[in-house]
Structures are given as structure tokens and as C-alpha cells.
Amino acid sequence: AIQMTQSPSSLSASVGDSVIITCRASQAIRNDLGWYQEKPGKAPKLLIYAASTFQSGVPSRFSGSGFGTDFTLSISSLQPEDFATYYCLQNYSFPQTFGQGTKVEIK
Amino acid sequence: EVQLVESGGGLVQPGRSLRLSCAASGFTFDEYAMHWVRRGPGKSLEWVSSISWNSGRTGYADSVKGRFTISRDNAKNSLFLQMNSLRVEDTALYYCAKDLGFSSSFPDHWGQGTLVTVSS
């Protein structure tokens, strides 16, 4: 199975800050990567798929990039509602695999 | 509006079986792949299984392969997960999720989950 490694596992930031979360695949996966946001007690929400394509309704402060093995999720000007846990998911091959998550906390 | 309602969770002993169901509405069910994803206590999300629109393609996590079977009934807008030989480590909240498209890619709408507890 393809291993997805996210970093950092957690970070503290302030409202208005910009943050970058990275996801590294154990083998090349083209651009077959998505990013999810999860908040306590709620189902995960798809933010980005195909590495850089916005899901409908996602604010433009979120952006994704990458190809092959290295991917990033960037959040510019963090808003209070952005404090959550973020996951990457590869769909290049079965079994699909999530990263272990990055928790974005308020500083 | 897409709605996914899971059912069938509960407390079960190790080695026993359980069948989860997901009732879908608000979209043309037979045009989309579907997924099961779980979150164990204190763990991150784990993709469990997916099935294409016509059941022609299925996939499983290594941790459940050979024990779990995904299926769907397009006439009844329903998704299922048959879980056999359950283990303590299968304890989790199980989400049903709709895919972006007809084959397995990315879940884009999720239910609220059904809790499975495996314990003696």
C-alpha cells in the first residue's frame, strides 16, 4: 500500500497567518491526491482534489499543489473556522490511503 | 441535497459479523461510486472500501481484505458493508460517502456515521 506522510502533525497559528501542510507519498501518484478538513463531531469535508482543483464552495484562501510524491495544502490568512485537522488522501491505486492528519490549532 | 444515512452499527463480540447499510438520497445513486471510511478511537481517518457505480470495481484496505465485503443495490439506493471475523481494532465510527464520479476517486459527501464497537 502507498504510505502517505503528512507534516507537521500539528501546528499552532494565529488568525491571519498563512500555513503550509505537506503530504509525501511513498511512491509517485501523479496528481491523484485530495485534501480534507475535519472538525470535531462533523464529517470530513473535501477541499481539493486532483492536487489543485477546488471543490465547489471552498474559499480561495485554500490552495493545493504538487505532482508525483510531494504535495502541499496552503491556507492564506487563517480564519477562525479554519482551525481543524487536515488530511490528504491518495486515489492513485487501491488501497486508497489517508495521511495521518495535521491539526491546526489556535496560538 | 445529498443525504447519506448509515445504520447497522452496534456492540459485537470479536469474531462475529455485522452488516452496515447506507441509505442514499438527493442524487442519482447509480451514477456514482461509493466509499466506506472509518475513524477509530484516537486514530486518524482510514479508507476502508469503495465500489464503482455498477459494482464492477471494488477495493479494500489491507486491514479488512478478506473479511469485509462491499456491495450496493442501485434499485434501492443503498450501500452495504458486510463485516465478518470482526476484531477489536475494527472498533470505529464508520462513514458512508459518495464519490465525485462513477469510479473510485474522492469521497465528496459523507453521512454522520454509525458506531461499531467490537468487544467481549
Side-chain angles (χ1 to χ4, degrees), chain A residues 3-42:
Chain A
Q3 304 298 316
M4 305 302 295
T5 303
Q6 284 183 237
S7 60
S9 55
S10 66
L11 63 91
S12 295
S14 301
V15 172
D17 285 352
S18 294
V19 300
I20 295 176
I21 299 168
T22 66
C23 185
R24 174 166 287 177
S26 59
Q27 66 181 74
I29 59 169
R30 300 180 307 201
N31 67 336
D32 294 331
L33 185 105
W35 289 98
Y36 289 84
Q37 176 192 68
E38 187 185 36
K39 296 181 180 179
K42 294 197 170 182

Side-chain angles (χ1 to χ4, degrees), chain B residues 9 19-20 30 38 41 57 75-77 80 82 105:
Chain B
R19 189 189 196 212
L20 304 185
D30 62 7
R38 69 186 181 185
R57 183 173 183 247
K76 296 183 177 179
N77 290 354
F80 306 100
Q82 178 66 42
S105 61

Side-chain angles (χ1 to χ4, degrees), chain A residues 39-54:
Chain A
K39 296 181 180 179
K42 294 197 170 182
K45 174 184 176 182
L46 177 64
L47 300 174
I48 287 170
Y49 61 95
S52 60
T53 302
F54 289 102

